[in-house]
Amino acid sequence: AKNAPPEIIDLAKAAKDANCDAPKKPHMILSNYTTPKASHVILANVGSGDTFFIDIDSRSIVGCVNTVGGFNGAGGTGNSHAATASPNSSMVIVANIGAKGESGFLHKIQTDYTNNKYTFVETLSLDQFSSALGTGVARPICHDFTADSEFAYVTMAGGGLLVIDVGSDDGTAPMNVVKVYDKDTVPGIGCGVARLPNDKIMTNGESGAKGGDDFLYTFDATNAEDGVFPDPVQIELPGEDTHGAVACTDQDGNLFAVTSMRVSNDVNFIDLQTNKVVATQSMATSFSPDPKPDVADIVGNKMFIAL
């Protein structure tokens, strides 16, 4: 990491080479879970509704799926905010925020990374859940799967959270909402989602730049298959606009979370054994007084954070 010259990929050229449309507003980029290491990254383009599959070794786009309009016309806009791979490598679910002031969608793509075959198979419209969420519209932001690839926890723009039984990779068993956590139970704009050990899911609830409270949540998915969904543990965060959380362990194996606070320009360290914030560290420096720390990732003993 001390000697890592940046490599620039011209996405318009790479898309053209792959016979794909040029993307607009590339946003979340996440890896798959093939073994012994990830083989592809999945890029959601929040301006054009495209999901790109990029071979990590060759840096080339090897698949593209446009979900505008939805599967069989079920609905979908260009606002593909995040595309997340299942741990078993069988599917990707795309969180589509929807049009401004309207509800969004979840799209399912069947994935075959070995043969670079990516098939759009299903769309789930979320407007039907806005009332149970307690929000005027239902707009998905980010999500992640449980370790068994059976469920996905989806954060929402107006607060609240949906738990999805993801169904089958080919779409014959459709996605189905099995639990709605309303905005009073899970307040804050939904943000990052991370899978923790022991069947736990961690999410953020952010205030944006509005001066409200920010939270970190942990959900127990141990008995999700039996329809048991306890209320989450809620941890109030100092600072403003939490916009990403990662987990790591200390030298004794204790689990901690690190949350990025995008407006107050700091990071919080949370002991997940006690659910207490144990430290806050500023990210501001003389050369970057307003860095806006955002999504982070931990590799080995280093944390990489987007500013």
Side-chain angles (χ1 to χ4, degrees):
K2 291 180 180 178
N3 182 21
E7 182 177 352
I8 298 172
I9 301 172
D10 184 330
L11 282 175
K13 181 181 183 304
K16 184 177 181 181
D17 290 345
N19 293 317
C20 300
D21 293 333
K24 296 178 181 177
K25 296 184 181 179
H27 191 247
M28 295 290 288
I29 185 163
L30 300 165
S31 71
N32 67 0
Y33 296 96
T34 52
T35 55
K37 63 178 183 177
S39 62
H40 294 66
V41 291
I42 301 104
L43 172 65
N45 296 289
V46 77
S48 54
D50 299 292
T51 295
F52 283 175
F53 295 85
I54 302 174
D55 183 277
I56 290 174
D57 288 337
S58 69
R59 307 295 200 260
S60 57
I61 296 171
V62 292
C64 49
V65 178
N66 186 287
T67 52
V68 173
F71 183 69
N72 285 342
T77 70
N79 293 328
S80 294
H81 189 265
T84 304
S86 61
N88 66 5
S89 296
S90 70
M91 71 177 77
V92 158
I93 289 179
V94 182
N96 184 283
I97 300 175
K100 186 175 181 180
E102 297 180 4
S103 292
F105 308 85
L106 296 176
H107 306 293
K108 184 191 293 181
I109 301 170
Q110 187 180 33
T111 53
D112 177 354
Y113 299 106
T114 301
N115 298 301
N116 285 320
K117 184 179 179 181
Y118 309 102
T119 309
F120 188 16
V121 296
E122 187 189 350
T123 293
L124 175 65
S125 174
L126 299 183
D127 189 56
Q128 58 193 303
F129 305 107
S130 57
S131 177
L133 287 164
T135 55
V137 292
R139 309 186 77 199
I141 300 294
C142 291
H143 53 289
D144 205 350
F145 292 79
T146 51
D148 59 7
S149 301
E150 296 291 327
F151 299 91
Y153 281 63
V154 185
T155 61
M156 308 301 291
L161 183 139
L162 300 178
V163 183
I164 313 292
D165 181 333
V166 301
S168 61
D169 57 8
D170 62 2
T172 54
M175 293 182 281
N176 179 42
V177 173
V178 292
K179 173 66 178 179
V180 178
Y181 290 97
D182 64 27
K183 68 178 180 63
D184 294 327
T185 305
V186 185
I189 303 167
C191 187
V193 187
R195 190 167 52 252
L196 301 177
N198 302 318
D199 290 321
K200 296 288 200 308
I201 300 289
M202 179 172 67
T203 75
N204 297 67
E206 54 151 309
S207 61
K210 299 177 182 178
D213 294 329
D214 289 81
F215 302 99
L216 187 71
Y217 302 99
T218 56
F219 295 82
D220 187 347
T222 306
N223 296 308
E225 200 161 339
D226 297 323
V228 178
F229 300 99
D231 282 352
V233 173
Q234 183 186 73
I235 304 164
E236 189 164 352
L237 300 171
E240 202 68 52
D241 193 26
T242 179
H243 212 258
V246 290
C248 59
T249 54
D250 68 8
Q251 60 271 25
D252 298 320
N254 297 312
L255 192 64
F256 285 76
V258 187
T259 64
S260 311
M261 313 302 292
R262 195 169 54 172
V263 168
S264 55
N265 289 315
D266 43 29
V267 292
N268 290 311
F269 296 83
I270 299 97
D271 184 334
L272 291 178
Q273 284 67 231
T274 62
N275 296 317
K276 302 292 186 184
V277 178
V278 294
T280 300
Q281 181 174 322
S282 175
M283 292 288 290
T285 64
S286 59
F287 61 84
S288 183
D290 186 22
K292 294 182 171 58
D294 202 313
V295 175
D297 195 19
I298 291 176
V299 181
N301 64 350
K302 293 182 171 64
M303 186 168 103
F304 297 81
I305 187 163
L307 306 177

